[in-house]
Amino acid sequence: MGSIWEIDFYSRPILDDNQKKIWEVLVCESPLDIGTKPDSLFRYAQYCPSTQVNSGWLRTALQEAITQAGKAPIKIRFFRRQMNNMITKACQDVGIPAQPSRRTLVLNQWLEERMKEVYPQEPGYQGGTNPSVRLEKPLPQRLPDALEGQQWVFVTLDAADLAEMPEWEIGFGEAFPLELAKVSPEARIPGILIFSPRALPLAGWMSGLELAFLRFDTSEEARLLLETGVNESWIVANIKKPQVLAEAKGFEEAKQKANGVHFIGIQSDPKAQSFAGFWLLQEVNL
């Protein structure tokens, strides 16, 4: 499998000589495995004058990033929906699919670091709060009947156990190093296991959803939701039984203690020794 990149192209809290905000492109590599060394991930940054903000400038920057990396990624993720057209056009021009996604862990952390350590050192820096990306809450959709699991359960794993993921037999999946998510080896990581006789097709379909995170929602009724892309939401289960309700609350509490880290596993049955799918996820606030 080839590499996946994350990209942000937006204005920064820095003014040029004409009192116009300077823009910047950030490109970084997504970790795909729990054993990835964060320092080994490719990164590229370049400022852009406000007078040159367009898909052509971004395309040239992407070409330069590809040259520096030595190879092109198989897709590029971006979380900023208001930049959809420009980012998508630039990516298409260099022959790489662009994917709206909230799975931009490295990029989110890099932006936070630059807000604290880099931009304040630049001439023309304008302090203040960094505006977050306001996303409308999506209307949850029901999973297609053919793709609903026959059975599912809440489970937990020790963070140290997840270090063995590279040795597991997994059909579809993605992970990241826990140190990147600032999770200690002693942490308990919550998740769900979905069991289905159609485990592999279910895992294959879910792998194309650009998984973001799971969350227990009680805004209307108690239900477990799967967030995907940048604004998609799917109903995994409506929760009514008191015991399962308590487990769902426990899942959400454990997720918060693990800095938002959790997982989804898909197996053919509870006795299976392999996973049709396994994804390590993290809920983050953009």
Side-chain angles (χ1 to χ4, degrees):
M1 181 179 182
S3 63
I4 295 174
W5 286 1
E6 304 165 13
I7 188 173
D8 186 42
F9 185 45
Y10 207 64
S11 62
R12 303 302 185 220
I14 310 168
L15 299 183
D16 61 18
D17 293 339
N18 296 317
Q19 301 302 297
K20 299 292 186 181
K21 277 194 173 182
I22 291 175
W23 282 56
E24 181 184 46
V25 60
L26 293 179
V27 176
C28 56
E29 186 179 355
S30 288
L32 304 179
D33 187 272
I34 199 165
T36 301
K37 299 297 183 183
D39 292 344
S40 70
L41 296 171
F42 173 73
R43 296 190 182 200
Y44 173 88
Q46 185 179 344
Y47 287 130
C48 173
S50 60
T51 55
Q52 297 184 38
V53 174
N54 54 56
S55 62
W57 185 95
L58 183 56
R59 179 193 66 238
T60 301
L62 282 173
Q63 289 171 331
E64 174 62 24
I66 292 169
T67 298
Q68 289 191 18
K71 62 178 180 179
I74 58 172
K75 71 177 177 180
I76 297 179
R77 293 169 166 154
F78 68 95
F79 67 85
R80 220 179 279 273
R81 280 199 299 170
Q82 58 267 53
M83 299 304 298
N84 178 80
N85 291 344
M86 195 177 298
I87 290 177
T88 300
K89 176 68 165 60
C91 289
Q92 287 176 343
D93 287 347
V94 294
I96 302 169
Q99 178 69 61
S101 175
R102 282 172 279 183
R103 195 178 179 90
T104 52
L105 174 60
V106 176
L107 184 59
N108 300 341
Q109 290 191 1
W110 195 15
L111 270 170
E112 288 181 8
E113 291 171 5
R114 293 180 71 79
M115 286 293 180
K116 294 176 183 177
E117 303 170 7
V118 177
Y119 306 143
Q121 309 303 319
E122 298 282 5
Y125 172 70
Q126 300 292 303
T129 57
N130 179 38
S132 61
V133 180
R134 300 294 180 185
L135 297 175
E136 297 177 4
K137 286 192 175 181
L139 184 65
Q141 307 172 61
R142 179 183 172 185
L143 284 171
D145 290 342
L147 297 167
E148 290 184 343
Q150 299 298 308
Q151 178 187 357
W152 63 273
V153 294
F154 286 111
V155 293
T156 58
L157 287 171
D158 289 328
D161 293 336
L162 288 170
E164 300 176 3
M165 268 189 69
E167 301 174 13
W168 299 352
E169 185 180 338
I170 300 173
F172 296 89
E174 192 172 337
F176 50 82
L178 292 177
E179 62 184 286
L180 198 61
K182 300 175 183 177
V183 174
S184 71
E186 295 76 31
R188 295 286 292 173
I189 308 299
I192 66 168
L193 289 179
I194 300 173
F195 304 113
S196 170
R198 301 185 68 254
L200 199 58
L202 174 57
W205 177 80
M206 289 186 70
S207 71
L209 283 181
E210 198 61 29
L211 304 183
F213 55 85
L214 285 166
R215 67 182 178 94
F216 175 50
D217 177 62
T218 57
S219 58
E220 296 183 8
E221 56 182 321
R223 55 192 180 181
L224 186 65
L225 302 179
L226 173 63
E227 303 289 328
T228 67
V230 292
N231 64 341
E232 300 165 341
S233 186
W234 305 85
I235 302 172
V236 177
N238 292 303
I239 300 175
K240 302 183 184 298
K241 296 181 179 179
Q243 179 182 344
V244 182
L245 190 62
E247 291 175 354
K249 292 178 179 178
F251 163 82
E252 198 64 33
E253 291 171 0
K255 186 175 72 174
Q256 297 307 316
K257 290 180 181 178
N259 199 25
V261 176
H262 55 294
F263 64 86
I264 298 175
I266 299 178
Q267 295 181 300
S268 56
D269 60 71
K271 296 181 180 180
Q273 298 298 308
S274 61
F275 292 94
F278 194 99
W279 294 267
L280 195 60
L281 310 171
Q282 184 182 26
E283 181 175 359
V284 295
N285 295 317
L286 295 177

